[in-house]
Amino acid sequence: MKLTINDIAEICQVSKSTVSRVLNNSGYVNEKTREKIEKVIKENIYYPSATARSLSKKESNTIGVIIPEADNAFFGEILKGISEVVDEKNLTLIFCDTNNNSSKEERALNMINMQGVKGLILTPVNDHDDGEAEKKLKGKLRDLKIPTVLLDRGVKNSQWDGVFFENYQSSYRATEILIKEGHKKIGIITGDLKLKIGKDRYKGYLNALEDYKIMMDHKYIYEGNFSVEKAYQLSKKFMSSDDLPDAVLTCNNLTTLGFIKALKECNLVLGKDISAIGIDNNEVLDILGYDFSNVARDAVDMGRVAMRMLLERFENPGRQRVEYIMPFKVSLKGSEKKSP
């Protein structure tokens, strides 16, 4: 059975405050009493609650992170970057996965509030462009009264620091690459068009077509939701038709996986039967030998930047809001090329 401070105090026949002074190495405790308490602690392998210690000291060394997709490798890389900086500073990290569910997000924020964390890094469930969802989230964040950094997805008219990606620019550039390769029938498997990041990537695609005088054809626009399954279903459908696009833009790493799954099942060859380029790198495809071109961000560095931004906010709580836009890097591996 795990001992509590009350148990240790009862065993040693001292007050809880005396045990607490030994645990925190603060205040005077008789040497004989201290040795007695330390012996009980050692014999029972007692570890004080980090939350209790934080509350007693009116401070915390815990950082909260709330992400929407724990099973997405992109957010795994982000957590890796955050953890690197957390470890450097001897802080503690707790994280919650909302699974893109607003009710889970609300519960996560309530839990973060009860834990008394020092700061928060949050990727909202939605982009909260307007309406009740935005109002509710802003109210929750204000009630927390702790430094907060928004990551990847923002909040309209935000008062919080943020780290974001060049969504429009990356999509525009990816589409431009396909155009310059000579493709005319260029399709897109969009992300969730209810999200601002989905809208921005779709807009980048449309504007690139317009700027290069390529006619947009609605039959080559496949509306997805950033998931593997939806992208797979859409890809399977258009790959089984008699009117394939020349090339396709996939709008995130999971969309790319769904596209590749359908490609394999339909016995089509990437770069021969259909060309493609994606937003975000996909290490799994590299391992499997699929040379899939992409315009990607450094997700690990996004995590590092967000955590360092939070640390800077701790040091200077009164500074103006800071926003960092993570640039993309083009990696061409051949899948974008037009077959001879």
Side-chain angles (χ1 to χ4, degrees):
M1 185 180 73
K2 182 178 178 181
L3 290 186
T4 66
I5 288 181
N6 285 338
D7 296 328
I8 296 170
E10 189 174 333
I11 291 169
C12 297
Q13 296 185 325
V14 297
S15 67
K16 288 191 296 182
S17 60
T18 301
V19 177
S20 180
R21 287 198 295 273
V22 172
L23 288 170
N24 293 307
N25 196 28
S26 62
Y28 174 76
V29 178
N30 176 278
E31 191 60 35
K32 189 175 180 180
T33 302
R34 179 184 292 276
E35 288 175 0
K36 187 177 182 181
I37 293 170
E38 287 177 344
K39 182 183 178 184
V40 171
I41 290 171
K42 185 177 181 181
E43 287 176 349
N44 291 276
I45 318 177
Y46 173 79
Y47 292 97
S49 161
T51 302
R53 293 186 72 172
S54 295
L55 291 172
S56 68
K57 292 182 176 183
K58 306 285 191 223
E59 63 182 28
S60 172
N61 72 338
T62 303
I63 305 300
V65 178
I66 300 177
I67 58 172
E69 300 166 7
D71 58 346
N72 187 335
F74 168 71
F75 287 106
E77 293 287 281
I78 277 179
L79 280 172
K80 181 179 179 183
I82 293 171
S83 297
E84 284 181 10
V85 182
V86 163
D87 291 344
E88 287 172 9
K89 300 299 179 180
N90 293 317
L91 298 170
T92 303
L93 180 68
I94 60 172
F95 86 93
C96 306
D97 175 24
T98 62
N99 197 29
N100 278 309
N101 181 290
S102 56
S103 295
K104 287 187 176 182
E105 179 177 74
E106 186 174 353
R107 290 199 297 272
L109 288 167
N110 289 338
M111 186 275 288
I112 289 293
N113 192 22
M114 287 188 293
Q115 289 290 325
V117 302
K118 186 180 182 70
L120 172 66
I121 297 174
L122 166 69
T123 300
V125 166
N126 299 302
D127 290 273
H128 300 94
D129 277 336
D130 50 38
E132 287 303 310
E134 176 192 15
K135 184 178 178 182
K136 195 170 186 179
L137 178 66
K138 285 183 173 180
K140 282 281 185 185
L141 292 178
R142 290 191 190 103
D143 289 345
L144 287 177
K145 295 177 182 175
I146 57 172
T148 298
V149 174
L150 300 176
L151 179 59
D152 193 48
R153 303 177 189 174
V155 174
K156 191 176 180 182
N157 301 318
S158 173
Q159 69 187 62
W160 298 279
D161 298 331
V163 181
F164 308 109
F165 176 54
E166 294 181 327
N167 291 296
Y168 171 87
Q169 297 91 334
S170 61
S171 178
Y172 185 101
R173 178 68 181 120
T175 308
E176 183 180 51
I177 288 167
L178 294 177
I179 293 169
K180 289 186 174 181
E181 282 294 330
H183 300 293
K184 300 295 183 185
K185 298 190 298 183
I186 300 173
I188 181 173
I189 304 175
T190 76
D192 187 341
L193 296 182
K194 296 189 295 293
L195 297 177
K196 186 175 182 298
I197 59 174
K199 292 174 187 173
D200 286 348
R201 293 177 191 184
Y202 181 48
K203 187 177 179 182
Y205 160 82
L206 292 177
N207 284 2
L209 294 182
E210 183 180 359
D211 288 350
Y212 283 90
K213 307 295 188 289
I214 303 289
M215 185 175 293
M216 184 272 286
D217 193 329
H218 284 285
K219 67 184 176 184
Y220 298 134
I221 295 172
Y222 316 107
E223 189 172 333
N225 60 4
F226 288 130
S227 75
V228 174
E229 185 57 31
K230 184 66 173 179
Y232 165 71
Q233 292 171 0
L234 291 167
S235 300
K236 196 78 184 288
K237 187 174 180 180
F238 75 71
M239 287 177 190
S240 301
S241 73
D242 295 327
D243 192 9
L244 274 177
D246 297 335
V248 172
L249 167 63
T250 58
C251 280
N252 81 331
N253 57 343
L254 299 182
T255 301
T256 299
L257 286 177
F259 170 80
I260 291 293
K261 181 182 177 184
L263 191 79
K264 190 171 184 292
E265 288 189 10
C266 292
N267 295 313
L268 296 177
V269 179
L270 183 65
K272 180 181 178 183
D273 298 310
I274 187 169
S275 302
I277 191 169
I279 295 175
D280 287 339
N281 185 36
N282 203 311
E283 190 176 345
V284 172
L285 295 184
D286 293 337
I287 293 170
L288 294 176
Y290 282 95
D291 295 324
F292 201 92
S293 299
N294 60 70
V295 287
R297 54 215 158 152
D298 186 335
V300 175
D301 201 40
M302 281 185 79
R304 293 189 196 106
V305 170
M307 189 58 221
R308 287 171 185 152
M309 191 177 283
L310 193 59
L311 293 173
E312 288 168 8
R313 179 60 63 182
F314 295 156
E315 296 297 320
N316 188 3
R319 72 172 185 172
Q320 289 188 331
R321 175 180 178 269
V322 176
E323 183 174 295
Y324 181 78
I325 307 297
M326 181 69 62
F328 63 84
K329 179 181 179 182
V330 176
S331 179
L332 300 181
K333 304 176 184 180
S335 67
E336 81 289 353
K337 292 191 175 298
K338 187 172 183 179
S339 60

